[in-house]
Amino acid sequence: FKMFFLEFFSEEAGAGTFSCLDWEAWFYSPGLPVPSIIPSCFDSSLQQPCIDLKNTWISVSADELATLDVTLEIYSFLSPLQKLYMFSLLLRAELPLPVTHLTKMKSLYNLQDSKNAEIRFKWLSLCLRSNWEEMYGEVSNFLTEVGRMKFVRPLYRNLNKAKNGRTTALMLFKQHKHIYHNICTAMVSKDLDC
């Protein structure tokens, strides 16, 4: 693997880009690589705006939400993959975002108008994590528009766990289970215990 990797990236390897890699630790240490052996020599310029934006949303108080208009400029320059990464970071945060923050994010970034199913999925997952009941309708719309199990199953699970969401999840599934693939229907049925 190492020879193939260095040969494939011969230009970068010749410039010394990979000199910071501890190949012995990567190959012979037990388990997954620990953060201490993940090299800091790689470019993180695409990752850093996502991390900064996530930290801004997590650390801002309700009183400071009006000052977040500046984040629109940052968000608008992110690629779709960077936006997905930012939402993933928010989903992995220790505590869910308050609904006040999500309301501001929705209006600021026009998330309700997104045509990207991946972004809508992450956004709706974030809303369900915060038990934002007003968004259950948008979750329902998404679940009837997109039938991929990759989106459907986690959203039904999250809706089922959300505050007052079980009734909505069960009713929606009963009405629309015929539009999903048989395997998806069987898996969601198990998830919802129905």
Side-chain angles (χ1 to χ4, degrees):
F1 172 78
K2 180 180 176 182
M3 288 178 8
F4 172 77
F5 182 86
L6 293 175
E7 184 180 317
F8 188 82
F9 294 106
S10 58
E11 190 175 309
E12 291 85 353
T17 303
F18 306 119
S19 61
C20 66
L21 281 176
D22 183 358
W23 291 102
E24 296 300 311
W26 276 85
F27 288 142
Y28 303 111
S29 294
L32 293 173
V34 293
S36 61
I37 68 166
I38 296 175
S40 60
C41 58
F42 293 118
D43 180 18
S44 64
S45 60
L46 294 176
Q47 179 183 15
Q48 199 56 50
C50 308
I51 294 169
D52 293 342
L53 208 51
K54 182 258 319 183
N55 289 336
T56 300
W57 280 106
I58 287 177
S59 63
V60 71
S61 70
D63 298 334
E64 299 171 323
L65 282 176
T67 64
L68 283 181
D69 291 344
V70 71
T71 66
L72 176 59
E73 187 176 324
I74 299 166
Y75 183 82
S76 63
F77 283 110
L78 295 179
S79 71
L81 285 176
Q82 287 175 299
K83 291 174 183 177
L84 285 174
Y85 181 62
M86 190 235 358
F87 284 121
S88 294
L89 291 172
L90 287 169
L91 282 166
R92 284 186 271 161
E94 190 175 329
L95 296 172
L97 282 177
V99 172
T100 54
H101 289 51
L102 294 173
T103 304
K104 177 69 174 181
M105 188 183 287
K106 179 183 177 184
S107 66
L108 191 62
Y109 301 155
N110 293 320
L111 292 166
Q112 67 280 0
D113 297 333
S114 177
K115 302 295 181 215
N116 185 317
E118 299 276 351
I119 290 174
R120 285 178 64 199
F121 167 71
K122 292 286 186 184
W123 162 243
L124 294 171
S125 298
L126 197 59
C127 294
L128 289 174
R129 184 171 186 241
S130 296
N131 295 310
W132 189 9
E133 293 185 47
E134 289 179 24
M135 292 299 290
Y136 292 0
E138 283 195 40
V139 171
S140 299
N141 290 340
F142 184 77
L143 286 169
T144 57
E145 292 170 13
V146 178
R148 287 191 69 187
M149 189 159 58
K150 168 184 177 176
F151 303 130
V152 170
R153 196 168 176 209
L155 280 178
Y156 269 114
R157 271 192 247 140
N158 292 338
L159 184 59
N160 190 40
K161 286 189 286 185
K163 181 181 175 189
N164 301 323
R166 180 161 174 76
T167 308
T168 305
L170 290 171
M171 181 189 69
L172 186 69
F173 183 66
K174 281 183 183 176
Q175 288 176 347
H176 298 287
K177 65 182 177 182
H178 66 279
I179 67 170
Y180 304 127
H181 188 277
N182 292 340
I183 295 172
C184 182
T185 301
M187 299 304 281
V188 173
S189 271
K190 286 181 185 177
D191 291 339
L192 299 178
D193 295 324
C194 63

